[in-house]
């Protein structure tokens, strides 16, 4: 299932790039004729003390382990919360903390990723036609949200169908061997109905409902992680390629808090997905290493990568727009709406108000960080 989700979401990036190839070619040719073409193809030029390559390199080398540790701490905190009784998934405090983390993810899409895409695709380094004639950022974000819904629905259908088939085969085997100790509990409940279908009637409905919810939680984790990973690589690449000390210094601190809070949101989802140790380790690894990887990639491509070149602006802008649409859908539909419309929050007005406040605090804090990251 994880492979299917990853491949489906990677297909979005591939389709965006393939569809954008003609636009890239046209943009390169048209950008060469723009009045500021020389500046658009040149590396980031900072004035005075801000442009200091050795110090910028030192800051980026410090940023890699610092952001890595912050990411690991953020995503692992919820995973170890089971040892704290008040933070277990069935407790009210966990609901409030998850609402805070969901607000962080929501603000990441609206306040960090989407504005970056607007800035990239409305840059003066791109030709006005077609980039100024059509809102590509909003269009791609909308398509990404719809595609995420499609992937979410199809993955859940596929997974439920496979589980249903496996369950049916298991029930046939159980009926044939109903005297075995493993099936004694269900067999014992079947006599009260006396219709020969005890295996279907005896199994509590809430068990199946729990399994369906568990599968949904796992789909949410995989799709959410893909959106976060795309954004993390892009922002890391920009930091790694920059030589502006005045930009990098506050960005390092902001990114540490950004990754920690975003990791808390993802970690809460991973906890509810109830994965095994191996899958948890894979998800933690990819989340924690993508931003440092992006920084390292930016360092390696410093001489080649120009963040204000037409190619970079279009590719990064489209990826950011797709990531924003994905994060908007996941935060609003799968995280916030699913919790607020669920029985736990619907059963308590006080808990609802506390969760709303937590969402506003998470989104507000992340929005303030948009000034630097």
């Amino acid at each position: 299932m994880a492979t299917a989700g990853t491949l489906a979401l990677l297909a979005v990036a591939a389709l965006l790039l393939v569809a954008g190839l003609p636009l890239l070619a046209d943009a390169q040719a048209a950008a060469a004729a723009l009045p500021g073409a020389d500046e658009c193809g040149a590396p980031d030029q900072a004035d005075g003390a801000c442009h200091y390559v050795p110090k910028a390199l030192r800051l980026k080398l410090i940023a890699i382990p610092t952001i890595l540790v912050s990411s690991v701490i953020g995503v692992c905190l919820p995973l170890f919360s089971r040892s704290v009784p008040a933070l277990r998934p069935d407790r009210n405090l966990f609901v409030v903390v998850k609402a805070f983390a969901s607000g962080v993810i929501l603000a990441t899409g609206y306040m960090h990723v989407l504005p970056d895409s607007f800035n990239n695709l409305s840059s003066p380094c791109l030709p006005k036609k077609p980039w100024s004639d059509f809102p590509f950022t909003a269009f791609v974000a909308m398509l990404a949200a719809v595609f995420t819904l499609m992937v979410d629905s199809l993955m859940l259908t596929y997974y439920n169908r496979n589980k249903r088939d496996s369950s049916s085969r298991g029930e046939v085997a159980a009926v044939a061997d109903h005297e075995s100790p493993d099936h004694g509990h269900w067999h014992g409940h079947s006599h009260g109905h006396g219709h020969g279908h005890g295996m279907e009637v005896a199994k509590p409905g809430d068990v199946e409902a729990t399994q369906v919810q568990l599968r949904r939680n796992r789909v949410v984790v995989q799709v959410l992680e893909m959106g976060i990973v795309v954004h993390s690589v892009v922002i890391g690449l920009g930091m790694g390629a920059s030589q502006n000390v005045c930009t990098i210094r506050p960005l390092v601190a902001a990114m540490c808090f950004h990754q920690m809070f975003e990791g808390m949101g993802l970690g809460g989802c991973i906890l509810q997905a109830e994965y095994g140790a191996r899958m948890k380790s894979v998800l933690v690894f990819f989340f924690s290493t993508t931003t440092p990887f992006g920084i390292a990639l930016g360092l390696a491509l410093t001489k080649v990568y120009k963040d204000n070149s037409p190619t970079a602006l279009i590719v990064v802008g489209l990826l950011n727009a797709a990531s924003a649409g994905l994060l908007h859908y996941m935060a609003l539909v799968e995280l916030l709406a699913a919790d607020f419309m669920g029985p736990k929050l619907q059963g308590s007005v006080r808990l609802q108000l506390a969760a709303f406040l937590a969402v506003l605090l998470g989104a507000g804090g992340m929005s303030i960080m948009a000034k630097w990251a």
Side-chain angles (χ1 to χ4, degrees):
M1 181 179 173
T3 304
T6 302
L7 290 177
L9 289 165
L10 285 176
V12 182
L15 285 173
L16 284 174
L17 293 177
V18 171
L21 284 177
L23 295 174
L24 280 173
D26 293 342
Q28 291 282 12
L34 291 175
D38 294 338
E39 296 179 4
C40 291
D44 177 29
Q45 296 294 332
D47 295 330
C50 287
H51 186 71
Y52 187 50
V53 176
K55 190 171 184 179
L57 177 61
R58 189 160 59 248
L59 286 172
K60 286 181 276 190
L61 292 177
I62 292 172
I64 291 176
T66 305
I67 293 175
L68 177 64
V69 171
S70 300
S71 302
V72 171
I73 292 174
V75 75
C76 288
L77 273 177
L79 300 182
F80 293 108
S81 65
R82 286 187 182 276
S83 58
V84 182
L87 288 176
R88 289 176 182 169
D90 58 337
R91 300 300 179 90
N92 291 344
L93 183 58
F94 179 84
V95 175
V96 174
V97 172
K98 186 184 175 187
F100 174 86
S102 300
V104 169
I105 293 173
L106 182 66
T108 298
Y110 276 109
M111 298 300 296
H112 293 253
V113 188
L114 196 62
D116 287 346
S117 179
F118 275 114
N119 290 336
N120 289 331
L121 298 182
S122 61
S123 170
C125 294
L126 293 179
K128 289 187 177 181
K129 188 175 182 180
W131 301 103
S132 296
D133 296 338
F134 186 79
F136 281 97
T137 293
F139 180 68
V140 172
M142 177 188 68
L143 289 182
V146 174
F147 188 84
T148 304
L149 170 64
M150 183 182 72
V151 171
D152 190 12
S153 175
L154 291 177
M155 285 176 64
L156 192 61
T157 301
Y158 172 77
Y159 199 51
N160 284 335
R161 182 174 298 171
N162 283 353
K163 288 294 182 181
R164 206 159 37 236
D165 292 342
S166 300
S167 178
S168 299
R169 288 193 294 270
E171 287 178 3
V172 171
V175 171
D177 190 28
H178 62 277
E179 295 295 340
S180 70
D182 291 338
H183 299 87
H185 173 73
W186 303 115
H187 177 66
H189 285 284
S190 67
H191 295 298
H193 300 83
H195 298 294
H197 300 290
M199 290 307 300
E200 295 179 7
V201 177
K203 190 173 182 180
D206 59 343
V207 174
E208 179 61 25
T210 301
Q211 290 299 314
V212 170
Q213 184 60 44
L214 179 61
R215 295 165 205 156
R216 187 171 187 80
N217 290 341
R218 292 184 174 182
V219 172
V220 168
V221 168
Q222 293 160 20
V223 179
L224 182 61
E225 172 121 356
M226 180 57 65
I228 292 175
V229 162
V230 171
H231 165 58
S232 298
V233 171
V234 167
I235 196 171
L237 181 63
M239 181 192 290
S242 175
Q243 302 296 353
N244 192 329
V245 176
C246 299
T247 300
I248 297 173
R249 189 186 290 113
L251 190 58
V252 173
M255 280 302 300
C256 288
F257 286 103
H258 178 283
Q259 290 295 106
M260 182 177 293
F261 288 131
E262 200 171 52
M264 288 173 61
L266 180 63
C269 295
I270 295 173
L271 179 65
Q272 290 187 309
E274 298 183 10
Y275 278 120
R278 176 184 289 183
M279 190 60 182
K280 285 181 181 177
S281 301
V282 169
L283 293 169
V284 169
F285 173 80
F286 275 105
F287 170 77
S288 303
T289 57
T290 44
T291 300
F293 170 76
I295 297 173
L297 184 62
L299 278 169
L301 300 176
T302 300
K303 301 295 184 184
V304 180
Y305 178 80
K306 306 296 183 288
D307 58 1
N308 53 357
S309 69
T311 300
L313 288 169
I314 293 172
V315 172
V316 171
L318 292 177
L319 288 177
N320 272 334
S323 179
L326 189 153
L327 291 175
H328 294 168
Y329 171 84
M330 298 305 296
L332 286 173
V333 178
E334 295 290 8
L335 299 178
L336 292 174
D339 285 346
F340 277 94
M341 302 304 168
K344 192 173 187 66
L345 283 174
Q346 286 294 310
S348 172
V349 175
R350 179 179 296 179
L351 185 59
Q352 275 192 60
L353 294 176
F356 274 123
L357 180 60
V359 172
L360 292 175
L361 288 175
M366 207 64 175
S367 298
I368 293 173
M369 288 184 197
K371 180 177 173 61
W372 299 283

